Amino acid sequence: MPKIGMCKSGGWHVILVAAAAFCAVSVVEPVLVAAPTAHAQGATIREIRVAGNRRVEPETVRSYLKFNVGDVYDPGKVDQSIKSLFATSLFSDVRIDREPTGVLVTVVENPVINQVAFEGNSEADKDTLLAEVQLKPRSVFTRARAQADVQRILDVYRRQGRFAAVVDPKLIELDNNRVNVVFEINEGAATKVKAINFIGNRAFSDSQLRDIITTTQSSLFDFIKGTNIYDPDRLSLDRELLRQYYLRNGYADARIVSAGAELDRDGSGFYITFVIDEGEVFKFGTVEIESSVAGVDPKKLYGELFSVGGTTFNQSQLDKSVERLTLTVSEQGLPFARVRPRAARDAAGRIINVTYLVDEGPHIYIERINVIGNVRTRDYVIRREFRLAEGDAFNPQMVDKAKKRLQGLGFFKTVEIKRRPGSAPDRVILDVELVEQSTGELSFGAGYSTSEGLIGDVTISERNLLGRGQYLRLRLSGSAQRQQIDLSFTEPRFLDRNLAAGFDLFHKLTQVSTYQQFATRTTGGSLRIGFPIAENLWLVNSYSLSNNEISDVAASASRAIQEAKGTYWTSSVGTSLTYDARNHPKTPTSGYFFQGGVEFAGVGGDVQYIRLSAEGRYYYPITEKITFVGRAIGGHIEGWGGQDVRLLDLYYKGGETIRGFYMSGFGPRDTLTNDAVGGDTFWSTTAELRFPFPLIPDDLGMSGAVFADAGSLFGAGAGVKKLPNSCGQPGVYNPGTGITTWQGVCLADSAAIRASVGFGILWNSPLGPLRLDIAKALLKESYDKEQLIRFGASTRF
């Protein structure tokens, strides 16, 4: 204390100030800390030093700073400089410190990538993954980029349906601040669609709606398909397909409320649920045409309409009417005329009155049509779906219709047509943006048939062959008694017109069996061309050439078969007309179908005949779940030019036509050998009531049916009738073989009606549609062969 008192700097005054400062140090401390900052903020930066850099030049670091030598030190600019340096992705850490003469910038550089590798990838090849990731050799590594690349790799696997995939980036440190980046991948199992459910659907069952959408449920035999993999883009397409399907079947207010996919707890599969608001069924009311364009007479346009008053409302018919009217008016020299449908809804009467308004649209021309995203599909396949070309008048309805046609091809996941301004105010550019999807399919199935035993088939198909929009299918099928191969090719737009042309090649062998005492071979091909005549009406013309053979005839076979043994050529032309107005392509519940045809053989070849055939089907929904099905079918074949119809060309009918009978179980027969010898005329009718089983969930795809069949097959071939009558005559017994043969036949041939009733079980199984029928023949001839139970592939009708 004495020494303090002797202080030259201030005596007791200084002592008191020091004591006060000492006692109040906790209060004064913030001021002492802030004081240098305030002092520094006002100081001038005389030097900027850079430390820690190895590859990056100091001047490069300084170029990103927000201050320079000579500037006044500003903490705000220091903070901005740190952010700027981090934004370069060159550094993993940055620090800026104040020095007496300036600032020190200390950086830690990010390493440089030497190599990028992948481990554990088998479902996605290296080139695909390298194209996705942003980290490349000789680029700078950052953790943010690595995490972004992890997400990109996961997206690749999710597009393949592998939502359980896990990606872990690893670093292998090398010298000179270099690293190898390794993405360790656990691909996991493919996350397939376990089930597809529908809520709110009353008019159509779950199984019927599953046939409409492109996504399929996972099953035992479709592991090689891509459609059972969850794909959000495909789900959006399915949602639109369902909506359009309802609109085509009269449900004008139908809405697909939601389409959701939920991953199960173990991540092994998705459950997809569509929530549907069907609304009520509407019909077309009055259908009128009004025009405000000079030179357009509405009365002359009614013949172009597809929509007809009193019929079930169909959005597709309305759209086609707009397109047809637009084209017709355009051909009259009015390219800018547009057609707009105006629908007046009568909710009480459940009818929609439609007025097609023809007026003058804006004078805008199409400058260019750009096709984007078609890696595989050729440009012309896409452009031919437009009824417009560069230089034509722009019509929004025609463009929208082209979009729907492209979606209907099934080649693309998504289709978007975007409009943007052209080089002038009256010009527009259309960008057609596409996302392609797989169009090839390999499928196989196996089953059991009471007539053939074990059966199986393998089918390879491609709907967009070489990106040309062509259809190709190769099918191998058969059993122990039958082997068959078919190759089919179709060009849907032959000569760039609305013509479907193609060819078919086939080879079929049948072996000797319990119902056939001979072997047959048919090898040949056909050319065909078809085109639409009207809505739902198609005409197909064809030419066929085949080589037919009957061989390996058993010694105990009918004399008629013995005489028919040999080989011959058949050359024929044919025409068929098909009208299809059913509400569902596979399992219809309403509508009707008709097909009639004629075949003329004798354009060269060894045989001459005329064959007529016809079939009609009718579907009527008694309730939402019960459907009545009626069918009538018939055919007749007649030789011409004095030639008889060959045995193989005649009709052979059995349980596939009238249930309750064996294969080739009714019709003309040689009662000496019990062999069917075929007939030249047949007819049959069916009345069937289909219903769901009350205690079985719809998800299983099972339903029941009660039915009644009736029909007949008669008119044995002239070659059979010319053989000697061996009825009541003794045959020739061969003691060496133990077989008795006859010189002629004992022909039983009656046009009497055969009839049966029965019960059936239908199942849309993973193997395909299967059916079990139990039928009892009520009307039959004594020589007919009955069969109580028939099981095999279902024939849809």
Side-chain angles (χ1 to χ4, degrees), residues 1 4 14-29 32:
M1 291 300 291
I4 295 175
V14 175
I15 294 173
L16 291 175
V17 172
F22 179 80
C23 295
V25 66
S26 60
V27 178
V28 180
E29 184 177 353
L32 296 176

Side-chain angles (χ1 to χ4, degrees), residues 276-526:
I276 302 172
D277 181 7
E278 291 182 338
E280 300 294 336
V281 178
F282 284 77
K283 291 186 175 182
F284 283 114
T286 59
V287 179
E288 298 179 345
I289 302 175
E290 296 180 2
S291 174
S292 61
V293 179
V296 176
D297 185 359
K299 294 180 181 179
K300 296 181 179 180
L301 297 176
Y302 280 93
E304 306 296 332
L305 297 178
F306 291 98
S307 51
V308 179
T311 61
T312 302
F313 175 79
N314 187 326
Q315 183 67 44
S316 175
Q317 292 177 351
L318 191 148
D319 293 340
K320 289 180 179 179
S321 296
V322 170
E323 183 179 14
R324 178 71 67 83
L325 290 174
T326 302
L327 286 173
T328 301
V329 174
S330 177
E331 291 171 355
Q332 296 177 2
L334 301 167
F336 296 104
R338 62 182 179 183
V339 180
R340 293 177 297 166
R342 182 180 64 194
R345 187 185 307 266
D346 181 358
R350 287 192 292 182
I351 61 173
I352 297 178
N353 300 315
V354 179
T355 302
Y356 296 96
L357 304 175
V358 183
D359 60 7
E360 190 79 9
H363 289 212
I364 300 176
Y365 296 89
I366 298 175
E367 179 176 329
R368 192 167 63 252
I369 299 176
N370 298 322
V371 180
I372 304 167
N374 57 318
V375 177
R376 183 164 176 265
T377 307
R378 308 292 180 93
D379 265 25
Y380 70 85
V381 174
I382 299 162
R383 293 179 182 275
R384 70 189 183 190
E385 298 303 325
F386 285 81
R387 302 299 182 260
L388 300 168
E390 282 90 346
D392 289 348
F394 172 73
N395 190 298
Q397 288 89 359
M398 301 280 285
V399 173
D400 184 63
K401 189 63 179 177
K403 176 182 176 180
K404 292 180 179 179
R405 277 194 292 267
L406 287 171
Q407 291 172 328
L409 291 176
F411 302 164
F412 311 106
K413 289 182 181 180
T414 59
V415 178
E416 294 293 336
I417 301 180
K418 297 181 179 179
R419 171 185 173 185
R420 57 188 176 93
S423 58
D426 63 343
R427 297 290 188 272
V428 66
I429 297 174
L430 300 179
D431 292 330
V432 184
E433 298 180 357
L434 309 165
V435 177
E436 292 181 316
Q437 65 180 0
S438 174
T439 54
E441 183 175 317
L442 171 63
S443 62
F444 61 91
Y448 180 81
S449 168
T450 50
S451 59
E452 296 186 71
L454 290 174
I455 58 176
D457 69 82
V458 177
T459 302
I460 304 172
S461 63
E462 172 56 62
R463 293 179 287 112
N464 187 15
L465 183 65
L466 301 177
R468 301 174 185 272
Q470 300 162 338
Y471 177 80
L472 180 69
R473 184 188 68 179
L474 175 64
R475 183 184 183 193
L476 306 174
S477 62
S479 63
Q481 300 168 353
R482 173 183 58 86
Q483 297 85 45
Q484 186 169 348
I485 179 171
D486 300 278
L487 177 66
S488 177
F489 172 83
T490 301
E491 167 56 69
R493 296 293 295 276
F494 184 60
L495 299 178
D496 204 26
R497 298 176 180 271
N498 196 15
L499 299 172
F503 65 84
D504 303 284
L505 301 176
F506 49 84
H507 178 70
K508 180 179 179 182
L509 295 173
T510 64
Q511 308 297 331
V512 177
S513 63
T514 55
Y515 65 89
Q516 179 177 287
Q517 295 196 71
F518 58 93
T520 67
R521 176 189 58 79
T522 302
T523 304
S526 64

